[in-house]
C-alpha cells in the first residue's frame, strides 16, 4: 500500500524494529521527525533475526531524493523496502503512519490560499497565510532598506573623485628628423640613437642632439 502524506514530501525512517517518519515543509523543505514507535510484531516474534541482511532494514533510511527518484522510475520504493514483511507488521506500519501524520500536523499550518502545508518559519501568523502569499511586512521593509542602502553606496562611490593625477600621452621625438621615434634606443624613421648623452663634467644626462649640458653648460658636441 502506498502511503499518502499530507505534505508534498516525506521520508519513511521506519525499520523492522519500529516506525518513524519525517514530514517536510512545502516551501523550505525543513522537516519534522515524529516520535519512534516500537513494532509490537518485531518485539514479540523477532521474525527478522534469522532472515539475514536481504530483508534487513536497520541500516536504511528513505529520504526525499529517494522518493523523487521512485516517482520518476514509476516504482514504489516503500513496497520494495518492506517486501517480505508479515501482514501484521504492514498493518502496524499503516497505523503508525496515520498517527505520525496527526502528530506532525500540529507543527505545520495549511495555507488557505495555496493549500500548501508550511512550517512556523514560513507562516505569517498575522495574515493567516504562508509567507509566499503574504510576505511579512517587517521582513520586506528590512530587505527594501538594505537594497536601497546598497544602491546608494554604489552611487556615492561612483560620484567620488579618487584619482587626482594628470592623464598624458607622451612620445619621443627624434632630435635628428623631428618625427616620432618609437620606444626603442634608435629612431624608427632615421635610425639616429635615442639614448641620453652623459655630461663629461657634471655627469648629467642630456637628450641626444643637445649641444651644451643643461646642468653646467659644458659643450657636449
Amino acid at each position: 500500500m502506498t502511503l499518502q502524506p499530507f505534505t508534498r514530501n516525506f521520508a519513511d525512517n521506519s525499520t523492522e524494529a519500529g516506525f518513524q517518519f519525517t514530514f517536510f515543509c512545502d516551501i523550505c523543505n525543513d522537516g519534522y521527525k515524529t516520535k519512534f514507535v516500537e513494532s509490537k510484531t518485531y518485539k514479540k516474534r523477532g521474525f527478522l533475526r534469522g532472515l539475514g541482511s536481504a530483508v534487513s532494514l536497520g541500516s536504511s533510511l528513505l529520504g526525499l531524493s529517494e522518493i523523487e527518484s521512485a516517482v520518476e522510475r514509476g516504482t514504489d520504493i516503500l513496497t520494495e523496502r518492506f517486501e517480505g514483511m508479515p501482514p501484521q507488521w504492514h498493518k502496524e506500519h499503516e497505523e503508525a503512519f496515520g498517527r505520525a501524520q496527526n502528530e506532525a500536523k500540529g507543527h505545520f499550518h495549511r495555507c488557505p490560499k495555496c493549500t500548501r502545508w508550511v512550517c512556523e518559519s514560513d507562516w505569517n501568523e498575522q495574515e493567516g497565510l504562508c509567507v509566499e502569499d503574504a510576505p511579512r511586512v517587517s521582513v520586506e521593509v528590512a530587505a527594501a532598506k538594505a537594497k536601497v542602502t546598497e544602491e546608494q553606496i554604489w552611487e556615492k562611490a561612483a560620484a567620488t573623485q579618487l584619482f587626482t593625477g594628470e592623464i598624458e600621452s607622451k612620445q619621443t621625438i627624434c632630435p635628428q628628423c623631428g618625427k616620432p621615434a618609437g620606444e626603442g634606443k634608435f629612431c624608427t624613421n632615421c635610425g639616429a640613437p635615442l639614448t641620453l648623452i652623459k655630461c663629461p663634467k657634471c655627469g648629467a644626462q642630456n637628450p641626444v642632439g643637445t649641444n651644451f649640458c643643461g646642468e653646467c653648460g659644458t659643450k657636449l658636441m
Side-chain angles (χ1 to χ4, degrees):
M1 178 180 178
T2 301
L3 304 179
Q4 298 295 332
F6 68 96
T7 57
R8 284 176 169 78
N9 298 303
F10 83 107
D12 190 342
N13 312 118
S14 302
T15 69
E16 69 271 23
F19 315 101
Q20 192 172 41
F21 307 87
T22 302
F23 297 89
F24 299 96
C25 172
D26 288 337
I27 290 182
C28 68
N29 278 329
D30 278 352
Y32 171 78
K33 181 177 288 188
T34 60
K35 298 177 181 178
F36 181 80
V37 178
E38 188 177 15
S39 169
K40 296 179 181 179
T41 304
Y42 175 80
K43 185 177 181 179
K44 291 180 178 179
R45 300 178 57 186
F47 58 90
L48 287 181
R49 295 173 184 172
L51 296 183
S53 60
V55 295
S56 177
L57 309 174
S59 61
S60 174
L61 294 179
L62 182 62
L64 177 59
S65 60
E66 291 178 280
I67 295 173
E68 293 173 345
S69 176
V71 173
E72 294 175 358
R73 299 199 313 269
T75 60
D76 185 352
I77 282 186
L78 296 178
T79 300
E80 294 177 1
R81 285 186 65 211
F82 303 133
E83 185 177 356
M85 308 295 281
Q88 298 91 332
W89 188 94
H90 282 288
K91 183 178 180 180
E92 277 192 290
H93 185 223
E94 293 173 13
E95 292 175 351
F97 181 71
R99 291 193 297 271
Q101 293 216 78
N102 291 332
E103 176 189 339
K105 283 181 179 180
H107 299 270
F108 290 86
H109 299 273
R110 188 175 187 271
C111 178
K113 183 177 180 181
C114 64
T115 71
R116 289 181 293 185
W117 287 86
V118 300
C119 64
E120 291 288 347
S121 299
D122 293 315
W123 180 248
N124 188 331
E125 184 68 32
Q126 293 180 337
E127 301 297 335
L129 296 169
C130 71
V131 293
E132 290 196 351
D133 289 324
R136 295 187 182 92
V137 175
S138 59
V139 174
E140 294 301 312
V141 169
K145 286 183 178 179
K147 183 177 181 181
V148 172
T149 300
E150 181 182 4
E151 292 174 350
Q152 291 178 348
I153 290 173
W154 281 100
E155 291 174 1
K156 184 69 175 179
T160 302
Q161 182 178 352
L162 301 176
F163 178 74
T164 58
E166 297 293 333
I167 299 178
E168 298 179 334
S169 177
K170 296 183 179 180
Q171 60 180 351
T172 302
I173 301 299
C174 177
Q176 290 294 111
C177 64
K179 297 181 179 180
E183 299 180 357
K185 294 183 178 181
F186 298 92
C187 176
T188 56
N189 289 290
C190 67
L194 300 176
T195 55
L196 296 176
I197 299 175
K198 184 177 181 180
C199 175
K201 184 177 180 179
C202 68
Q205 298 289 336
N206 295 271
V208 175
T210 303
N211 294 323
F212 296 92
C213 176
E215 292 292 330
C216 65
T218 301
K219 187 176 181 180
L220 299 177
M221 299 181 66

